[in-house]
Amino acid sequence: MDRSLMNIEIVGAGRAGGAIAVAASRSGHRIVGIQSRNPNAVAVLETLVPIVDGEADLRILAVSDDAIELVASMLVDAAPVPTVHISGARSVGVLSPLAVAGVATGSFHPLQSFPDAVRGAASLAGAWVAITAEEPLAGVLDDFAVSLGCIPFRLDDAAKPRYHAAASAVANFTVACLGVGERILTDVGVPFAATRPLVEAVVANCFEQNPRSALTGPIARGDTDTVAAQVTAVRGVDDDIAQAFIEMARATARFAGASEEMREAIG
């Protein structure tokens, strides 16, 4: 298999599959096929990525986690092309129908968010990619990641569920917290954009130091009266937002080692 430029087949034309297809094409790889249950999605992606004739060197399954094993079983009679899925949570074992047929299998999980194919392709540069595969496929995937401007790292198959839980925490939990803040700010007429410098500084502090050292605010300082006043204030916004704020405050107190100190203030 050519480790510099490859012929790549994409199965799944959603945001992730589209982003990888666009990024791969821009990096000089050749896209020799795009398959999807949604012909409209394929048509849109084909306006962004030129499709060329050729036999695939690598097949990438960019389908939902629950569909991976079914799609793999449907490909058993296709050409025996090394195949990877892009799930961060699912074992490489879900590709067992192909592995049993003698096809090299693995996973290639970009640790990044894909809002759409174009912006997702741009965001791949600098992203880390978890690679779970045996040699020689692992080395091929390392090179593919580097060709996209990514940073590859090896991930043990058994560690994937915990790894993906961590990825969900840093991505989705962050968005949920920002959503709570946005709703409360809207209630008092403050634009959400006003918090951007604060958020960016906090995130930078987490990586320049570490999350625990970066923690500031009334819970970390032990200002129980301030925390109690905040809880009372958000109760007047919306019941669901208030409950989310309280749960996040409790999680923050646990992280800060201040659960007992803050128990009465948070409620």
Side-chain angles (χ1 to χ4, degrees):
M1 187 185 298
D2 184 353
R3 291 192 174 191
S4 55
L5 296 177
M6 294 187 290
N7 289 348
I8 298 174
E9 177 186 347
I10 304 289
V11 181
R15 293 178 294 179
I20 293 173
V22 171
S25 180
R26 289 177 177 175
S27 299
H29 299 284
R30 297 166 293 272
I31 306 302
V32 296
I34 300 173
Q35 300 181 43
S36 174
R37 294 180 302 174
N38 185 344
N40 291 331
V42 173
V44 170
L45 190 52
E46 287 179 342
T47 66
L48 301 172
V49 178
I51 308 300
V52 302
D53 293 330
E55 296 182 359
D57 299 313
L58 178 68
R59 178 184 291 127
I60 300 175
L61 303 191
V63 299
S64 67
D65 286 6
D66 291 343
I68 295 172
E69 190 165 10
L70 174 61
V71 173
S73 66
M74 294 169 63
L75 292 169
V76 168
D77 294 328
V81 177
T83 302
V84 299
H85 66 64
I86 63 169
S87 170
R90 292 301 177 92
S91 166
V92 173
V94 294
L95 296 176
S96 59
L98 291 170
V100 169
V103 174
T105 59
S107 69
F108 181 91
H109 179 254
L111 194 53
Q112 185 55 282
S113 175
F114 301 118
D116 56 54
V118 175
R119 287 184 292 174
S123 70
L124 275 170
W128 291 56
V129 177
I131 291 173
T132 305
E134 295 184 358
E135 296 292 356
L137 179 57
V140 172
L141 296 177
D142 282 344
D143 291 341
F144 179 53
V146 171
S147 77
L148 302 183
C150 300
I151 303 169
F153 67 98
R154 301 298 174 84
L155 180 67
D156 187 85
D157 203 46
K160 295 189 76 174
R162 282 176 290 173
Y163 153 78
H164 198 254
S168 295
V170 299
N172 299 327
F173 294 177
T174 300
V175 173
C177 289
L178 291 174
V180 170
E182 179 189 33
R183 175 66 181 84
I184 298 170
L185 288 170
T186 298
D187 196 65
V188 295
V190 176
F192 178 58
T195 66
R196 183 167 183 162
L198 170 63
V199 172
E200 291 177 346
V202 168
V203 171
N205 290 341
C206 285
F207 288 99
E208 290 170 4
Q209 305 172 52
N210 58 67
R212 187 173 294 278
S213 297
L215 187 63
T216 63
I219 292 177
R221 293 193 301 267
D223 293 341
T224 56
D225 289 347
T226 297
V227 174
Q230 289 179 344
V231 171
T232 298
V234 297
R235 288 188 188 279
V237 177
D238 175 276
D239 288 345
D240 288 340
I241 290 297
Q243 186 58 42
F245 182 91
I246 290 168
E247 290 172 357
M248 291 173 181
R250 287 172 178 161
T252 303
R254 286 194 294 272
F255 184 64
S259 292
E260 289 302 319
E261 184 180 1
M262 289 292 158
R263 185 180 301 280
E264 185 175 345
I266 296 173

